[in-house]
Amino acid sequence: MGRPARIFPADLINAASKIAARLGPARATIAAIAKEAGAPIGSMYHRYPSRGALLAEVWITAAERFGSQFSAILATARDTDALIEAALLTPHFAREDPAAGVVLFAHRRDDFLDEAPAESRARAAKLVSALQKELAGAAKRHLAGDPRGRERLAVALIGIPYGAVRVFLPQAVPPPEIDAVIAAAARAALAH
Amino acid sequence: MGRPARIFPADLINAASKIAARLGPARATIAAIAKEAGAPIGSMYHRYPSRGALLAEVWITAAERFGSQFSAILATARDTDALIEAALLTPHFAREDPAAGVVLFAHRRDDFLDEAPAESRARAAKLVSALQKELAGAAKRHLAGDPRGRERLAVALIGIPYGAVRVFLPQAVPPPEIDAVIAAAARAALAH
DNA sequence: CTTATTCTAGAATATTAATTCTAATTAGTA
DNA sequence: TACTAATTAGAATTAATATTCTAGAATAAG
């Protein structure tokens, strides 16, 4: 029933991710994304109500992928060594999915969400708060003594790896050698 | 000779810094900056040829302040302990000059420079490459054995502190407790 | 084979914000 | 006191892009 689609939502998200990674969300215009996707402008609005909604979807898609891997690692972590794996997810992710990595680690979240409809914003906020909760839980388990455990864990497992890959992104993918540096730094940050 | 100025360049830079820190460079419109400075739109263009030129000046001003302190520390560093002071400059700077700190550490450099005239861009590039050179020199002195010394130093003294304060900025100023975490992490990153 | 439906297609319009322009002030100077 | 230069002041214009609108195609159902 109806004309078959040539352009699917996933195509637009992929195209928008690439453009946003390359030029930044501010320069990811509807025209540029449409061109990258090989779609006419009209089809963009057939899929997404606004540019803001599409950009939000780009961030959310990337964040969901990262978040699910991160929480899987965190949930099964038995000791500090296992936590370090969570810190290493950031460079790993940046290598495995460069466009999503650049979206998440070389641009600002708000630049993807500022123009988003309320519904998308709520979905994004849920992702962030889920991650916060998991960090709090892990802090309770692994850093029981520290009243600021969640902050410390956030710095060690998110902030430090983020800052380290940020030195290289978006021009280059983070080189493999920094993984050891990230691991050592995260470990030190955890060891009070 | 001529009507005395009510609005000075520094006023516009300060106003633009505040707005850019609060809303991000993309939302720092000429109208918003003019309002913050109590200046009419016309006066903006009397001082700066374009919005891009003004935003570039905001970043350059902040980067010059940070850079001069950073290179002073780096130049006189005798041992690893002294290098750690360079890593701590990031949280210190974010506390002492919150607007400049947010400009440098909570936003993207390119979002301040993408629309800048060539002359401003060149000035900004010079600041960046000066810092690169200083890092390379310090790497030679302090990490003589490491072929990737400059990268490691960049990660330890810039990337890690940046990522750590980024966990808090721009909502809050980085709390004093993270300084010890940053110091430990930077030290670990240096001690291969 | 006609019709309803879904989608492509891109031109036309609307919106937002940067920039330019014209006029009005103010202070020194001849 | 006129005159000139520097600046304020903000309205008018322009430019860039997001969004809407109107048509045209393609498919399945009846």
Short mmCIF file of all heavy atoms in Angstrom, two decimals, chain A residues 61-78 80-94 96 104-105 127-139 141-142 149-162 182 186 190, chain B residues 167:
data_model
loop_
_atom_site.label_atom_id
_atom_site.label_comp_id
_atom_site.label_asym_id
_atom_site.label_seq_id
_atom_site.Cartn_x
_atom_site.Cartn_y
_atom_site.Cartn_z
N THR A 61 20.84 8.05 19.21
CA THR A 61 21.26 6.77 18.64
C THR A 61 22.69 6.42 19.08
O THR A 61 22.97 5.30 19.50
CB THR A 61 21.22 6.85 17.10
OG1 THR A 61 19.89 7.20 16.70
CG2 THR A 61 21.59 5.52 16.47
N ALA A 62 23.58 7.39 18.97
CA ALA A 62 24.97 7.16 19.38
C ALA A 62 25.05 6.87 20.88
O ALA A 62 25.75 5.95 21.32
CB ALA A 62 25.83 8.36 19.00
N ALA A 63 24.31 7.66 21.65
CA ALA A 63 24.38 7.52 23.11
C ALA A 63 23.80 6.19 23.57
O ALA A 63 24.28 5.59 24.54
CB ALA A 63 23.64 8.68 23.78
N GLU A 64 22.79 5.71 22.87
CA GLU A 64 22.22 4.41 23.25
C GLU A 64 23.23 3.29 23.03
O GLU A 64 23.37 2.41 23.87
CB GLU A 64 20.96 4.12 22.42
CG GLU A 64 19.70 4.72 23.02
CD GLU A 64 18.50 4.59 22.09
OE1 GLU A 64 18.69 4.24 20.89
OE2 GLU A 64 17.37 4.86 22.55
N ARG A 65 23.91 3.36 21.90
CA ARG A 65 24.91 2.33 21.64
C ARG A 65 25.99 2.35 22.71
O ARG A 65 26.37 1.32 23.26
CB ARG A 65 25.54 2.54 20.26
CG ARG A 65 24.73 1.96 19.13
CD ARG A 65 25.64 1.52 17.98
NE ARG A 65 26.19 2.62 17.21
CZ ARG A 65 25.53 3.28 16.27
NH1 ARG A 65 24.29 2.95 15.98
NH2 ARG A 65 26.11 4.26 15.61
N PHE A 66 26.51 3.56 22.97
CA PHE A 66 27.56 3.67 23.97
C PHE A 66 27.03 3.25 25.34
O PHE A 66 27.66 2.47 26.06
CB PHE A 66 28.09 5.10 24.03
CG PHE A 66 29.17 5.30 25.06
CD1 PHE A 66 30.49 4.99 24.76
CD2 PHE A 66 28.87 5.78 26.32
CE1 PHE A 66 31.49 5.15 25.71
CE2 PHE A 66 29.85 5.96 27.28
CZ PHE A 66 31.17 5.64 26.96
N GLY A 67 25.88 3.77 25.69
CA GLY A 67 25.33 3.54 27.02
C GLY A 67 25.07 2.07 27.30
O GLY A 67 25.34 1.59 28.42
N SER A 68 24.57 1.35 26.31
CA SER A 68 24.26 -0.05 26.59
C SER A 68 25.54 -0.85 26.83
O SER A 68 25.59 -1.70 27.71
CB SER A 68 23.44 -0.65 25.44
OG SER A 68 24.25 -0.80 24.30
N GLN A 69 26.59 -0.54 26.08
CA GLN A 69 27.85 -1.23 26.31
C GLN A 69 28.44 -0.85 27.67
O GLN A 69 28.94 -1.69 28.41
CB GLN A 69 28.86 -0.90 25.20
CG GLN A 69 28.43 -1.41 23.83
CD GLN A 69 29.46 -1.07 22.75
OE1 GLN A 69 30.65 -1.27 22.94
NE2 GLN A 69 29.00 -0.57 21.62
N PHE A 70 28.35 0.46 27.96
CA PHE A 70 28.92 0.93 29.21
C PHE A 70 28.23 0.28 30.41
O PHE A 70 28.88 -0.21 31.33
CB PHE A 70 28.79 2.46 29.29
CG PHE A 70 29.53 3.09 30.42
CD1 PHE A 70 30.87 3.42 30.29
CD2 PHE A 70 28.90 3.36 31.62
CE1 PHE A 70 31.57 4.01 31.33
CE2 PHE A 70 29.59 3.95 32.67
CZ PHE A 70 30.92 4.27 32.53
N SER A 71 26.92 0.24 30.38
CA SER A 71 26.24 -0.31 31.56
C SER A 71 26.42 -1.82 31.65
O SER A 71 26.43 -2.37 32.75
CB SER A 71 24.77 0.10 31.58
OG SER A 71 24.13 -0.34 30.42
N ALA A 72 26.58 -2.47 30.50
CA ALA A 72 26.85 -3.91 30.56
C ALA A 72 28.16 -4.16 31.29
O ALA A 72 28.25 -5.05 32.15
CB ALA A 72 26.90 -4.49 29.14
N ILE A 73 29.17 -3.38 30.97
CA ILE A 73 30.46 -3.54 31.64
C ILE A 73 30.34 -3.23 33.12
O ILE A 73 30.81 -3.99 33.98
CB ILE A 73 31.52 -2.61 31.00
CG1 ILE A 73 31.77 -3.01 29.55
CG2 ILE A 73 32.82 -2.65 31.80
CD1 ILE A 73 32.66 -2.05 28.79
N LEU A 74 29.67 -2.11 33.41
CA LEU A 74 29.57 -1.67 34.80
C LEU A 74 28.79 -2.67 35.65
O LEU A 74 29.15 -2.95 36.80
CB LEU A 74 28.87 -0.30 34.83
CG LEU A 74 29.36 0.69 35.87
CD1 LEU A 74 30.85 0.90 35.71
CD2 LEU A 74 28.64 2.01 35.72
N ALA A 75 27.73 -3.20 35.06
CA ALA A 75 26.85 -4.08 35.83
C ALA A 75 27.56 -5.36 36.26
O ALA A 75 27.29 -5.91 37.33
CB ALA A 75 25.61 -4.42 35.01
N THR A 76 28.47 -5.85 35.42
CA THR A 76 29.10 -7.13 35.72
C THR A 76 30.47 -6.97 36.38
O THR A 76 31.13 -7.98 36.64
CB THR A 76 29.27 -7.96 34.43
OG1 THR A 76 30.13 -7.23 33.54
CG2 THR A 76 27.93 -8.19 33.75
N ALA A 77 30.87 -5.71 36.60
CA ALA A 77 32.21 -5.49 37.16
C ALA A 77 32.30 -6.02 38.59
O ALA A 77 31.47 -5.65 39.44
CB ALA A 77 32.55 -4.00 37.11
N ARG A 78 33.30 -6.87 38.83
CA ARG A 78 33.47 -7.45 40.17
C ARG A 78 34.52 -6.67 40.97
O ARG A 78 34.42 -6.52 42.17
CB ARG A 78 33.93 -8.90 40.06
CG ARG A 78 32.88 -9.88 39.57
CD ARG A 78 32.18 -10.60 40.75
NE ARG A 78 30.80 -10.91 40.43
CZ ARG A 78 29.78 -10.04 40.55
NH1 ARG A 78 29.98 -8.83 41.00
NH2 ARG A 78 28.55 -10.38 40.25
N THR A 80 38.09 -3.62 40.72
CA THR A 80 38.56 -2.40 40.08
C THR A 80 39.06 -2.66 38.66
O THR A 80 38.80 -1.86 37.75
CB THR A 80 39.69 -1.77 40.92
OG1 THR A 80 39.20 -1.54 42.24
CG2 THR A 80 40.12 -0.44 40.32
N ASP A 81 39.75 -3.75 38.47
CA ASP A 81 40.23 -4.07 37.12
C ASP A 81 39.10 -4.06 36.11
O ASP A 81 39.25 -3.58 34.97
CB ASP A 81 40.88 -5.47 37.10
CG ASP A 81 42.32 -5.41 37.60
OD1 ASP A 81 42.80 -4.28 37.84
OD2 ASP A 81 42.94 -6.47 37.75
N ALA A 82 37.97 -4.59 36.53
CA ALA A 82 36.83 -4.64 35.62
C ALA A 82 36.31 -3.23 35.34
O ALA A 82 35.83 -2.94 34.23
CB ALA A 82 35.73 -5.51 36.20
N LEU A 83 36.39 -2.35 36.33
CA LEU A 83 35.95 -0.97 36.11
C LEU A 83 36.80 -0.29 35.04
O LEU A 83 36.31 0.53 34.26
CB LEU A 83 36.05 -0.17 37.42
CG LEU A 83 35.00 -0.47 38.49
CD1 LEU A 83 35.23 0.43 39.70
CD2 LEU A 83 33.59 -0.27 37.95
N ILE A 84 38.08 -0.64 35.03
CA ILE A 84 38.97 -0.01 34.06
C ILE A 84 38.51 -0.32 32.63
O ILE A 84 38.68 0.49 31.72
CB ILE A 84 40.43 -0.49 34.28
CG1 ILE A 84 40.89 -0.11 35.69
CG2 ILE A 84 41.36 0.10 33.25
CD1 ILE A 84 40.77 1.36 36.01
N GLU A 85 37.89 -1.48 32.47
CA GLU A 85 37.35 -1.80 31.14
C GLU A 85 36.30 -0.77 30.71
O GLU A 85 36.17 -0.45 29.54
CB GLU A 85 36.73 -3.20 31.13
CG GLU A 85 37.75 -4.33 31.13
CD GLU A 85 38.77 -4.16 30.01
OE1 GLU A 85 38.35 -3.96 28.85
OE2 GLU A 85 39.98 -4.20 30.32
N ALA A 86 35.55 -0.29 31.68
CA ALA A 86 34.55 0.73 31.38
C ALA A 86 35.23 2.01 30.90
O ALA A 86 34.77 2.67 29.96
CB ALA A 86 33.69 1.01 32.61
N ALA A 87 36.36 2.34 31.52
CA ALA A 87 37.10 3.54 31.09
C ALA A 87 37.62 3.36 29.67
O ALA A 87 37.68 4.32 28.89
CB ALA A 87 38.25 3.82 32.05
N LEU A 88 37.97 2.14 29.33
CA LEU A 88 38.54 1.90 27.99
C LEU A 88 37.47 1.82 26.91
O LEU A 88 37.80 1.82 25.71
CB LEU A 88 39.38 0.61 28.01
CG LEU A 88 40.67 0.75 28.82
CD1 LEU A 88 41.39 -0.58 28.91
CD2 LEU A 88 41.58 1.81 28.19
N LEU A 89 36.22 1.76 27.32
CA LEU A 89 35.17 1.71 26.30
C LEU A 89 35.21 2.97 25.42
O LEU A 89 34.97 2.89 24.21
CB LEU A 89 33.79 1.58 26.95
CG LEU A 89 32.62 1.61 25.97
CD1 LEU A 89 32.72 0.49 24.95
CD2 LEU A 89 31.29 1.54 26.71
N THR A 90 35.51 4.11 26.02
CA THR A 90 35.52 5.36 25.26
C THR A 90 36.47 5.30 24.05
O THR A 90 36.04 5.50 22.92
CB THR A 90 35.81 6.55 26.18
OG1 THR A 90 34.67 6.73 27.04
CG2 THR A 90 36.04 7.83 25.40
N PRO A 91 37.77 4.99 24.25
CA PRO A 91 38.63 4.88 23.06
C PRO A 91 38.20 3.73 22.13
O PRO A 91 38.26 3.88 20.90
CB PRO A 91 40.02 4.64 23.64
CG PRO A 91 39.79 4.16 25.03
CD PRO A 91 38.55 4.84 25.49
N HIS A 92 37.77 2.62 22.69
CA HIS A 92 37.33 1.51 21.83
C HIS A 92 36.17 1.95 20.95
O HIS A 92 36.16 1.73 19.74
CB HIS A 92 36.90 0.31 22.69
CG HIS A 92 38.04 -0.33 23.42
ND1 HIS A 92 37.86 -1.25 24.43
CD2 HIS A 92 39.38 -0.17 23.30
CE1 HIS A 92 39.03 -1.64 24.90
NE2 HIS A 92 39.97 -0.99 24.24
N PHE A 93 35.19 2.57 21.58
CA PHE A 93 34.00 3.00 20.84
C PHE A 93 34.38 3.99 19.74
O PHE A 93 33.88 3.92 18.62
CB PHE A 93 33.02 3.64 21.82
CG PHE A 93 31.67 3.96 21.23
CD1 PHE A 93 30.66 3.00 21.23
CD2 PHE A 93 31.40 5.21 20.69
CE1 PHE A 93 29.41 3.29 20.70
CE2 PHE A 93 30.15 5.50 20.16
CZ PHE A 93 29.15 4.54 20.16
N ALA A 94 35.27 4.90 20.06
CA ALA A 94 35.69 5.90 19.07
C ALA A 94 36.35 5.25 17.86
O ALA A 94 36.29 5.79 16.75
CB ALA A 94 36.64 6.92 19.71
N GLU A 96 35.70 1.94 16.88
CA GLU A 96 34.78 1.03 16.21
C GLU A 96 33.71 1.76 15.43
O GLU A 96 33.24 1.29 14.40
CB GLU A 96 34.08 0.15 17.25
CG GLU A 96 35.05 -0.60 18.12
CD GLU A 96 34.72 -2.08 18.18
OE1 GLU A 96 33.53 -2.41 18.31
OE2 GLU A 96 35.66 -2.88 18.07
N LEU A 104 29.66 11.88 19.89
CA LEU A 104 29.60 11.87 21.36
C LEU A 104 30.77 12.58 22.02
O LEU A 104 30.62 13.24 23.04
CB LEU A 104 29.55 10.43 21.87
CG LEU A 104 28.26 9.65 21.62
CD1 LEU A 104 28.37 8.27 22.23
CD2 LEU A 104 27.04 10.39 22.17
N PHE A 105 31.96 12.43 21.43
CA PHE A 105 33.16 12.86 22.17
C PHE A 105 33.83 14.11 21.61
O PHE A 105 34.72 14.66 22.24
CB PHE A 105 34.19 11.73 22.20
CG PHE A 105 33.64 10.43 22.71
CD1 PHE A 105 33.91 9.24 22.05
CD2 PHE A 105 32.82 10.39 23.83
CE1 PHE A 105 33.40 8.04 22.50
CE2 PHE A 105 32.29 9.19 24.29
CZ PHE A 105 32.59 8.01 23.62
N LEU A 127 18.43 8.81 29.13
CA LEU A 127 19.71 8.12 28.91
C LEU A 127 20.77 8.62 29.87
O LEU A 127 21.53 7.84 30.46
CB LEU A 127 20.19 8.34 27.48
CG LEU A 127 19.54 7.53 26.37
CD1 LEU A 127 20.06 7.97 25.02
CD2 LEU A 127 19.80 6.05 26.59
N VAL A 128 20.83 9.94 30.00
CA VAL A 128 21.86 10.53 30.87
C VAL A 128 21.62 10.13 32.32
O VAL A 128 22.55 9.73 33.03
CB VAL A 128 21.87 12.06 30.73
CG1 VAL A 128 22.80 12.68 31.75
CG2 VAL A 128 22.29 12.46 29.32
N SER A 129 20.37 10.20 32.75
CA SER A 129 20.14 9.91 34.17
C SER A 129 20.30 8.42 34.45
O SER A 129 20.71 8.04 35.56
CB SER A 129 18.78 10.44 34.61
OG SER A 129 17.76 9.65 34.10
N ALA A 130 20.03 7.58 33.46
CA ALA A 130 20.27 6.15 33.65
C ALA A 130 21.75 5.90 33.91
O ALA A 130 22.14 5.15 34.81
CB ALA A 130 19.80 5.37 32.43
N LEU A 131 22.57 6.58 33.11
CA LEU A 131 24.02 6.41 33.28
C LEU A 131 24.46 6.93 34.65
O LEU A 131 25.31 6.32 35.32
CB LEU A 131 24.74 7.15 32.16
CG LEU A 131 26.22 6.82 32.01
CD1 LEU A 131 26.55 6.55 30.56
CD2 LEU A 131 27.07 7.97 32.52
N GLN A 132 23.88 8.05 35.06
CA GLN A 132 24.20 8.61 36.39
C GLN A 132 23.88 7.60 37.48
O GLN A 132 24.65 7.40 38.41
CB GLN A 132 23.39 9.89 36.63
CG GLN A 132 23.74 11.04 35.73
CD GLN A 132 25.06 11.70 36.12
OE1 GLN A 132 25.60 11.41 37.18
NE2 GLN A 132 25.58 12.55 35.25
N LYS A 133 22.71 6.98 37.34
CA LYS A 133 22.28 6.02 38.36
C LYS A 133 23.22 4.83 38.42
O LYS A 133 23.56 4.34 39.49
CB LYS A 133 20.85 5.56 38.07
CG LYS A 133 19.84 6.19 39.01
CD LYS A 133 18.43 5.66 38.74
CE LYS A 133 17.41 6.78 38.89
NZ LYS A 133 16.54 6.94 37.72
N GLU A 134 23.60 4.36 37.25
CA GLU A 134 24.51 3.22 37.23
C GLU A 134 25.85 3.57 37.86
O GLU A 134 26.44 2.75 38.57
CB GLU A 134 24.70 2.72 35.80
CG GLU A 134 23.56 1.82 35.36
CD GLU A 134 23.42 1.75 33.86
OE1 GLU A 134 24.42 2.03 33.17
OE2 GLU A 134 22.32 1.43 33.38
N LEU A 135 26.29 4.78 37.60
CA LEU A 135 27.55 5.22 38.22
C LEU A 135 27.39 5.27 39.74
O LEU A 135 28.28 4.84 40.49
CB LEU A 135 27.96 6.59 37.70
CG LEU A 135 28.64 6.61 36.32
CD1 LEU A 135 28.83 8.04 35.86
CD2 LEU A 135 29.98 5.89 36.38
N ALA A 136 26.25 5.77 40.18
CA ALA A 136 26.02 5.85 41.63
C ALA A 136 26.00 4.46 42.25
O ALA A 136 26.60 4.23 43.31
CB ALA A 136 24.69 6.57 41.90
N GLY A 137 25.36 3.53 41.57
CA GLY A 137 25.32 2.15 42.08
C GLY A 137 26.70 1.55 42.16
O GLY A 137 27.09 0.94 43.18
N ALA A 138 27.46 1.73 41.09
CA ALA A 138 28.81 1.17 41.07
C ALA A 138 29.68 1.82 42.14
O ALA A 138 30.53 1.15 42.76
CB ALA A 138 29.44 1.37 39.69
N ALA A 139 29.47 3.11 42.37
CA ALA A 139 30.25 3.81 43.40
C ALA A 139 29.95 3.19 44.77
O ALA A 139 30.85 2.99 45.59
CB ALA A 139 29.91 5.29 43.40
N ARG A 141 29.07 0.17 45.37
CA ARG A 141 29.68 -1.16 45.46
C ARG A 141 31.20 -1.10 45.56
O ARG A 141 31.80 -1.86 46.31
CB ARG A 141 29.30 -1.99 44.22
CG ARG A 141 27.82 -2.32 44.12
CD ARG A 141 27.56 -3.43 43.11
NE ARG A 141 27.89 -3.04 41.74
CZ ARG A 141 27.11 -2.32 40.95
NH1 ARG A 141 25.94 -1.88 41.40
NH2 ARG A 141 27.48 -2.02 39.72
N HIS A 142 31.80 -0.20 44.77
CA HIS A 142 33.26 -0.27 44.65
C HIS A 142 34.00 0.80 45.44
O HIS A 142 35.19 0.66 45.70
CB HIS A 142 33.66 -0.17 43.17
CG HIS A 142 33.15 -1.30 42.33
ND1 HIS A 142 33.80 -2.51 42.24
CD2 HIS A 142 32.04 -1.42 41.56
CE1 HIS A 142 33.12 -3.31 41.44
NE2 HIS A 142 32.05 -2.68 41.01
N GLY A 149 31.86 9.39 45.88
CA GLY A 149 32.20 8.26 45.02
C GLY A 149 31.68 8.41 43.60
O GLY A 149 32.40 8.11 42.64
N ARG A 150 30.45 8.88 43.47
CA ARG A 150 29.89 8.96 42.12
C ARG A 150 30.66 9.95 41.26
O ARG A 150 30.97 9.68 40.10
CB ARG A 150 28.42 9.37 42.16
CG ARG A 150 27.70 8.97 40.90
CD ARG A 150 26.46 9.80 40.70
NE ARG A 150 26.78 11.22 40.61
CZ ARG A 150 25.90 12.20 40.73
NH1 ARG A 150 24.65 11.91 40.99
NH2 ARG A 150 26.27 13.46 40.62
N GLU A 151 30.98 11.10 41.84
CA GLU A 151 31.77 12.08 41.08
C GLU A 151 33.13 11.52 40.68
O GLU A 151 33.58 11.68 39.55
CB GLU A 151 32.00 13.35 41.89
CG GLU A 151 30.98 14.45 41.63
CD GLU A 151 30.13 14.69 42.84
OE1 GLU A 151 29.95 13.73 43.65
OE2 GLU A 151 29.64 15.83 43.00
N ARG A 152 33.76 10.85 41.63
CA ARG A 152 35.08 10.30 41.34
C ARG A 152 35.00 9.26 40.23
O ARG A 152 35.81 9.23 39.31
CB ARG A 152 35.67 9.66 42.59
CG ARG A 152 37.01 8.99 42.31
CD ARG A 152 37.38 8.05 43.44
NE ARG A 152 37.58 8.78 44.68
CZ ARG A 152 38.74 9.36 45.00
NH1 ARG A 152 39.76 9.27 44.19
NH2 ARG A 152 38.85 10.00 46.13
N LEU A 153 33.98 8.43 40.30
CA LEU A 153 33.80 7.41 39.28
C LEU A 153 33.51 8.06 37.93
O LEU A 153 34.02 7.63 36.89
CB LEU A 153 32.65 6.48 39.69
CG LEU A 153 32.77 5.01 39.27
CD1 LEU A 153 34.10 4.43 39.70
CD2 LEU A 153 31.62 4.21 39.86
N ALA A 154 32.70 9.10 37.94
CA ALA A 154 32.39 9.80 36.69
C ALA A 154 33.66 10.38 36.09
O ALA A 154 33.90 10.29 34.88
CB ALA A 154 31.37 10.91 36.95
N VAL A 155 34.50 10.96 36.93
CA VAL A 155 35.75 11.52 36.43
C VAL A 155 36.65 10.41 35.88
O VAL A 155 37.20 10.51 34.78
CB VAL A 155 36.48 12.31 37.54
CG1 VAL A 155 37.90 12.66 37.12
CG2 VAL A 155 35.70 13.59 37.86
N ALA A 156 36.77 9.32 36.64
CA ALA A 156 37.70 8.25 36.26
C ALA A 156 37.24 7.49 35.01
O ALA A 156 38.04 7.20 34.13
CB ALA A 156 37.87 7.27 37.42
N LEU A 157 35.94 7.21 34.93
CA LEU A 157 35.46 6.32 33.86
C LEU A 157 34.93 7.05 32.64
O LEU A 157 34.78 6.47 31.57
CB LEU A 157 34.38 5.37 34.40
CG LEU A 157 34.78 4.54 35.62
CD1 LEU A 157 33.71 3.50 35.94
CD2 LEU A 157 36.13 3.87 35.42
N ILE A 158 34.58 8.32 32.83
CA ILE A 158 34.03 9.11 31.72
C ILE A 158 34.92 10.29 31.40
O ILE A 158 35.40 10.46 30.28
CB ILE A 158 32.60 9.61 32.05
CG1 ILE A 158 31.66 8.44 32.35
CG2 ILE A 158 32.08 10.50 30.95
CD1 ILE A 158 31.11 7.75 31.14
N GLY A 159 35.14 11.14 32.40
CA GLY A 159 35.86 12.39 32.17
C GLY A 159 37.28 12.18 31.64
O GLY A 159 37.67 12.78 30.63
N ILE A 160 38.03 11.34 32.30
CA ILE A 160 39.42 11.14 31.91
C ILE A 160 39.54 10.51 30.52
O ILE A 160 40.27 11.03 29.66
CB ILE A 160 40.18 10.33 33.00
CG1 ILE A 160 40.45 11.26 34.19
CG2 ILE A 160 41.47 9.73 32.46
CD1 ILE A 160 41.06 10.57 35.40
N PRO A 161 38.82 9.43 30.26
CA PRO A 161 38.92 8.87 28.89
C PRO A 161 38.43 9.86 27.84
O PRO A 161 39.03 9.98 26.76
CB PRO A 161 38.00 7.65 28.94
CG PRO A 161 37.72 7.38 30.36
CD PRO A 161 37.99 8.60 31.15
N TYR A 162 37.39 10.58 28.17
CA TYR A 162 36.87 11.59 27.25
C TYR A 162 37.93 12.63 26.93
O TYR A 162 38.19 12.95 25.76
CB TYR A 162 35.63 12.24 27.88
CG TYR A 162 35.14 13.48 27.20
CD1 TYR A 162 34.36 13.41 26.06
CD2 TYR A 162 35.46 14.75 27.71
CE1 TYR A 162 33.91 14.57 25.44
CE2 TYR A 162 35.01 15.90 27.10
CZ TYR A 162 34.24 15.81 25.97
OH TYR A 162 33.81 16.94 25.35
N ILE A 182 45.26 5.79 29.47
CA ILE A 182 43.92 5.97 30.05
C ILE A 182 43.72 5.00 31.22
O ILE A 182 43.23 5.40 32.28
CB ILE A 182 42.84 5.75 28.97
CG1 ILE A 182 42.88 6.88 27.95
CG2 ILE A 182 41.46 5.65 29.61
CD1 ILE A 182 41.98 6.66 26.74
N ALA A 186 42.98 6.26 34.92
CA ALA A 186 41.70 5.93 35.56
C ALA A 186 41.94 5.17 36.86
O ALA A 186 41.30 5.43 37.88
CB ALA A 186 40.85 5.10 34.60
N LEU A 190 40.88 6.28 40.69
CA LEU A 190 40.02 5.48 41.57
C LEU A 190 40.69 5.20 42.92
O LEU A 190 40.01 5.10 43.95
CB LEU A 190 39.68 4.15 40.90
CG LEU A 190 38.72 4.23 39.71
CD1 LEU A 190 38.48 2.87 39.13
CD2 LEU A 190 37.41 4.89 40.15
N VAL B 167 33.33 17.24 33.45
CA VAL B 167 32.27 16.53 34.15
C VAL B 167 31.38 17.52 34.91
O VAL B 167 30.19 17.28 35.09
CB VAL B 167 32.87 15.47 35.12
CG1 VAL B 167 31.83 14.92 36.07
CG2 VAL B 167 33.53 14.35 34.33
#
